[in-house]
Amino acid sequence: MTETKLNYIAGQWVAGESVIENWNPSDLSDLVGVFAQANADQLDEAIATAAEAQRIWASYGLERKQAVLNAIGTELMARAEELGTLLSREEGKPQAEGKGEVFRAGQFFTYSAAECLRQLGETADSVRDGIEIDIRREPVGVVAVISPWNFPMATAAWKIAPALCYGNAVLWKPANLTPASAVALTEIIARQDIPEGLFSLVMGSGRSIGQRLVESPDINAVSFTGSVPVGRGIAAAAVQNFTKIQLEMGSKNALAVMEDADLDLAVSVALGGAFGGTGQKCTASSRLIVHAAIHDAFVEKLVEGAKAMRVGHALEDGTQIGPVVSDAQLRENLDYVALGQSEGAELACGGTRVERATEGYFMTPGVFLNTTNSMRINREEMFAPLTSVIKVGSYDEALSTVNDTRFGLTSGIVTRSLARATHFRRNARTGVVTVNLPTAGTDYHVPFGGRGESSYGPREQGKAAAEFYTTVKTAYICAGEPA
Ligand code: NDP
């Protein structure tokens, strides 16, 4: 019998009220594991112990906190191959991407470890005589982290690492589709020199455990990545308690390919941006906005490239596109293919379910041609290995099409013109802009986030993370008369 992996609550590994099974999307006969589901009482216990643990943790010296974060990051990087394989087995991204993600998760921790030592405040003179002012950041308190399945290690790491760095306690509710990565990371964190209850893993469904977590008046901040409807619900729940929130949600990222682009570069940037991670990235290039002068040549090579991509088992050598994450996601993707065709788009390749040696959720990468920006396939996040080409007649039309969306996470341009690249960089209404690079793929030491319905609240990552995970205190000091 498969051993049940437990929740980590108030410093103890504990069974839950039920279990879920986690199956490999590349091979539906492969059971990745069985995972406990926390109940409401366990969640309440985790919340109750977090506040006291947070006070103890905040009182630790900076080097002690730094050592904890460094140890977590170093272990993740050293075990990237092993944990990346586990990640790919449960999520479905090709093994190299799984390994890369775990390594990156480690880098979030080592980066935050260094940031422990860089927490400097400000001083000022008062406008009143004899008074000095000290301005410093303090921990926000108890932070709930709600993470998605598409980057089960990296997204969690870029929230948990800064939360701990700035002296907070963390309650983590990972996505139920990817609990194995969550338990693996928790095992590493649980071995560190931290107060009991500082970090808890509460697995359970979003609708029950997640909802209770965000409604709790004892949670001081919620950092969430996932869909827009769930983000909206979290915002509504959080405002009742004036809980601080940071929401990273969907997008409809566009890549503009100009007539002066290097054709081969443009095609490789588009393929990587559209189909990396099986298209299941909030930064995926799902709209390719192509100048008419280069359109036909670009489309020919793009379709050729998409057809040549190898779809297969995530752990098989040579696989470039793994399965999609779940049956529900696959069905939704195929519905979008049918919707696109019914809207008049031409499916030039892919977009169909395919069989491989093992039973899994395999789907070929699909390219829609002859689309308009008003079609639903160009307005709604699909989270699929699907992309659409929109033909435009000028740079100005390209830019206005890029900006014609409710979202605003990333956008990119492929051009040889510095003037155009500069204009685009300054006028694209997204939180991240790329030039001659895919819209996906960001660094860990600089801010990440978007505009519109893509993001709400302070930016994540880099120094910007301090804004969310801390609160500012302004102290006025009157030294009195000199002795
Ligand atoms: P969700 O938004 O449902 O899930 C994200 C996280 O939120 C999961 O941990 C989930 O738990 C949790 N959650 C769900 N409901 C609640 C709730 N009421 N209160 C608190 N937490 C909750 O995304 P899905 O996984 O269902 O994916 C659906 C779509 O969302 C995708 O197709 C994609 O378009 C988008 N998405 C975008 C992501 C991004 O990076 N921007 C990431 C993931 C999804 P659980 O799943 O365990 O129930």
Side-chain angles (χ1 to χ4, degrees), residues 175-187:
N176 251 351
L177 280 170
T178 50
S181 298
V183 170
L185 176 54
T186 302
E187 284 170 352

Side-chain angles (χ1 to χ4, degrees), residues 37 145-151 155 158 173-178 204-214 222 224-231 233-234 248-251 280-283 325 329 332-333 380-384 409 454:
Q37 301 285 279
V145 167
I146 301 181
S147 58
W149 47 265
N150 62 331
F151 283 98
T155 305
W158 80 55
K173 199 226 81 69
N176 251 351
L177 280 170
T178 50
S205 83
R207 276 196 308 280
S208 58
I209 288 297
Q211 189 67 29
R212 191 175 178 88
L213 190 53
V214 299
V222 177
F224 164 81
T225 299
S227 63
V228 175
V230 173
I234 290 175
E248 290 299 338
M249 300 168 286
S251 199
Q280 300 174 141
K281 289 185 184 179
C282 51
T283 51
V325 73
Q329 192 70 46
E332 194 178 302
N333 296 353
E380 298 170 16
E381 181 174 58
M382 298 192 281
F383 233 55
L409 188 56
S454 289

Side-chain angles (χ1 to χ4, degrees), residues 23-26 28 90-91 149 177 280 323-335 353 359-363 383:
W23 295 90
N24 180 348
S26 297
L28 299 180
E90 72 169 348
E91 197 271 349
W149 47 265
L177 280 170
Q280 300 174 141
V324 303
V325 73
S326 66
D327 184 44
Q329 192 70 46
L330 179 63
R331 276 187 279 117
E332 194 178 302
N333 296 353
L334 297 176
D335 285 349
R353 183 172 192 171
E359 192 191 349
Y361 306 123
F362 302 108
M363 177 178 174
F383 233 55

